[in-house]
Amino acid sequence: MRFASGYNKLKQLNPLLVISEEIQDALATGKPIVALETALVTHGMPQPENLKTALSIEGCVRASRAIPATIGILNGHIHVGLSRVQMEQLSDTRNFPSSKISRRDMAAVCARKGNGGTTIAGTMVIAHLAGIKVFSTGGLGGVHRGGEDSLDVSADLTELGRTPVAVVAGGIKSILDIGRTLEYLETQGVPVVTYGRTREFPAFFSPRSGFESPYNVETPLEAANIIHHGDLLGLKNGYMFGCPIPEEYAEAGERIQRAVDQAVEESTLNGMDKRGKEVTPWLLNRVYELTGGASLENNIALIENSARIGGKIAVEYAKLQMGKADSTQNLGPFLDFATVVPNGSPGIDPNVRAIERFTSDPDQKVKPTKPAKVVVVGGAAVDVISKADGSSSGSSAVQSTVPGTVKNYLGGVARNVGEATHRICASMSEAGSDDVLLVAPVGNDSFGTIVRDGTASLGMRADGLLQVSPSTSPKGTAVCNMVLDGSGDLISGVADMDIISDLKFGAILPVLEREEPSLLAFDSNISVETMSDLCDWAKKSDSAVFV
């Protein structure tokens, strides 16, 4: 039995999540995606500039050849990829009241069937849940001026310390204490990187803050490589890329900064600085008033610039993800793939080897920090869906070639169950990502690379994938190829699944002995003999079994 799609599994796991068809397809096929927030629509800009800016930002992302995923909450449901109509609703702040949604607000607003624009922290939580790695926005929240006494610190900073999403922004909002914010990010273990020729960290309206980042990058590929290597290391923190506002806005930015200082002083005198999440919108609106609207022009230019850069970074990151095997080979002594199950070992099928990353010294293997609690054994497959376009009938697709689309999706019962279980565990705790291990055979072929890279891109462990040696077996990765007519009805299909039924217990045993899971799950695509051996092992090891 197969699940219809990765999105259906995620929907079953979290019924509050609604992912648009475009984003579903992008996630399934590894296309570059950039998450976008909506707090700027609901609380950051006046009408009608809020809607115009939101649509313009999406256009900037598309111009960079990435796909925008604007995130917001409507009627208690979390939407990833808002439609034009939905964005118009959120932008109509007079007739469509919305909350400002950070991590702390999400559950309450959803429970009350409310609406909301997501902040940086809120957007990061949802982007990570959906599997989106890059997020572009305007300015990061931070430590408010006087925060050493008030302890008014944005949740954006703690979210960056625990959620592996890269935030591409125009720096830290200049209404804040930039120096203390950078110190706080260092404490949270967040890499701060300037996107530019120097390490000068930007100050939102101005390209110069007087502070330096620890690092700088000059190209999207350099930025993507930092994120990619964090993935290889299994790091769970986010990344802050500061993109200076284009230089033509710098002179106006200095004048705007003087208005910022005045607004901050006024907020101290009138008590607004003690009103929590109301402070930032008030300050930005006051700066808008003091500058006669000039601050809004700079704000829009800054956000559009970040969106363009974020799109380019997402494109390069997607390329690295799709070619991960090749990129790891270029890391020298750092990481590589190699055999960890020696041929000829007692009870081990010599035709199978485990895929695991490790250094050039085989005694210094890079492993997850703890054994898996759940091991899922069975099939991992690539579903190839070939669909004729709407003008083609079922009969014309027989013994002929017709125009249409061909898309790949990750499938396989065990893999689907493993991903759903992984998402549950990862959502419950930061350490939950390592709690689930998929054990499935793959061939030494391009489809095997798709399974391996797709598994890793979801944040799942890939060290349980078992690769068949091409010198001893011709079996390739499991593939199900389905041909649909223009209406989406099945014409025919071919399923090559022999590699799964050939999986022997001897190849699985070393993984079980290493992990000692408390729950062993397996699908019925493996042989009866292997299922019997797994049940015997579970009984001896006092592990629960799920079939």
Side-chain angles (χ1 to χ4, degrees), residues 20-163:
S20 72
E21 289 187 5
E22 182 182 29
I23 303 303
Q24 289 179 51
D25 175 73
L27 289 169
T29 56
K31 294 175 184 174
I33 308 172
V34 177
L36 300 172
E37 61 152 293
T38 44
L40 71 88
V41 176
T42 59
H43 292 78
M45 291 184 179
Q47 292 180 265
E49 285 80 4
N50 55 353
L51 177 60
K52 291 179 181 178
T53 302
L55 296 173
S56 174
I57 294 169
E58 286 197 341
C60 291
V61 172
R62 293 191 188 278
S64 301
R65 299 190 176 182
I67 297 172
T70 304
I71 293 172
I73 296 181
L74 294 165
N75 300 318
H77 285 82
I78 299 169
H79 289 260
V80 180
L82 291 175
S83 68
R84 170 68 182 259
V85 171
Q86 291 169 329
M87 291 175 69
E88 288 175 351
Q89 281 184 303
L90 282 177
S91 69
D92 186 4
T93 53
R94 297 186 185 91
N95 302 310
F96 198 79
S98 299
S99 302
K100 190 176 180 183
I101 309 295
S102 187
R103 174 185 280 265
R104 74 166 188 181
D105 311 291
M106 209 168 292
V109 171
C110 287
R112 297 181 178 187
K113 309 297 183 185
N115 309 305
T118 53
T119 64
I120 289 178
T123 305
M124 287 183 72
V125 172
I126 298 167
H128 179 51
L129 179 62
I132 301 172
K133 199 72 176 187
V134 179
F135 164 32
S136 287
T137 185
L140 186 70
V143 179
H144 280 258
R145 301 189 192 192
E148 67 275 19
D149 297 319
S150 67
L151 299 182
D152 191 350
V153 179
S154 171
D156 296 349
L157 306 188
T158 49
E159 203 61 53
L160 272 163
R162 61 185 171 186
T163 302

Side-chain angles (χ1 to χ4, degrees), residues 165-182:
V165 171
V167 175
V168 182
I172 296 162
K173 293 185 177 76
S174 55
I175 58 176
L176 306 172
D177 189 324
I178 295 176
R180 285 191 169 89
T181 299
L182 292 172

Side-chain angles (χ1 to χ4, degrees), residues 401-416:
T401 300
V402 297
T405 59
V406 179
K407 296 180 180 180
N408 295 334
Y409 300 90
L410 291 181
V413 176
R415 197 218 65 84
N416 292 340

Side-chain angles (χ1 to χ4, degrees), residues 2-4 28-29 322 378-386 406-413 415-416 438 440-443 445-455 465 476-482 494-497 499-500:
R2 294 180 179 275
F3 291 154
T29 56
M322 295 303 291
V382 176
D383 291 337
V384 181
I385 311 298
S386 305
V406 179
K407 296 180 180 180
N408 295 334
Y409 300 90
L410 291 181
V413 176
R415 197 218 65 84
N416 292 340
L438 171 65
V442 295
D445 51 25
S446 59
F447 289 116
T449 300
I450 291 173
V451 171
R452 180 177 63 239
D453 292 350
T455 300
L465 297 178
T477 302
V479 177
C480 181
N481 185 6
M482 290 176 281
V494 175
D496 181 3
M497 302 288 165
I499 193 173
I500 302 173

Side-chain angles (χ1 to χ4, degrees), residues 6 17 26 32 68 76 128 149 162 167 170 195 197 236 249 289 309-310 344-345 383 390 441 476 485 491 529-530 545:
L17 196 62
H128 179 51
D149 297 319
R162 61 185 171 186
V167 175
Y195 188 92
R197 295 181 179 179
K236 305 302 180 185
Y249 294 92
E289 293 173 347
I309 294 171
S345 297
D383 291 337
D485 64 18
I491 297 174
E529 179 184 4
T530 301
V545 173

Side-chain angles (χ1 to χ4, degrees), residues 225-237:
N225 251 320
I226 291 176
I227 306 168
H228 177 62
H229 280 72
D231 293 345
L232 295 177
L233 290 168
L235 301 179
K236 305 302 180 185
N237 55 270

